[in-house]
Amino acid sequence: MNQGIGSVMRNAQRLFGVTNHHCIDVDVWQHLTPDELKERHLTAADVEKESQKYNCNRPLGLNF
């Protein structure tokens, strides 16, 4: 995730304000009830893990 041309492209997308499609999924999952998450075979820990994996809490654009 942090090496190679893929990393360069993901960082460029974030720089230009393009949201990662995984982060869109995470945002939707965060608004689901525990029963709805269970129906999708997910837990709150799974959602948090994905959020950290794709850096969904970092703001878009250039930040220091």
Side-chain angles (χ1 to χ4, degrees), residues 17-35:
V18 177
T19 304
N20 185 331
H21 68 90
H22 292 97
C23 292
I24 295 171
D25 293 338
V26 167
D27 186 51
V28 170
W29 294 338
Q30 288 175 338
H31 292 92
L32 297 177
T33 65
D35 290 334

Side-chain angles (χ1 to χ4, degrees), residues 22 25-27 29-30 34 36-54 56:
H22 292 97
D25 293 338
V26 167
D27 186 51
W29 294 338
Q30 288 175 338
E36 291 172 328
L37 284 174
K38 189 186 294 184
E39 289 173 3
R40 290 166 175 77
H41 306 285
L42 294 169
T43 64
D46 293 335
V47 175
E48 182 61 30
K49 184 175 155 185
E50 288 293 309
S51 177
Q52 290 176 358
K53 180 178 179 180
Y54 294 106
C56 295

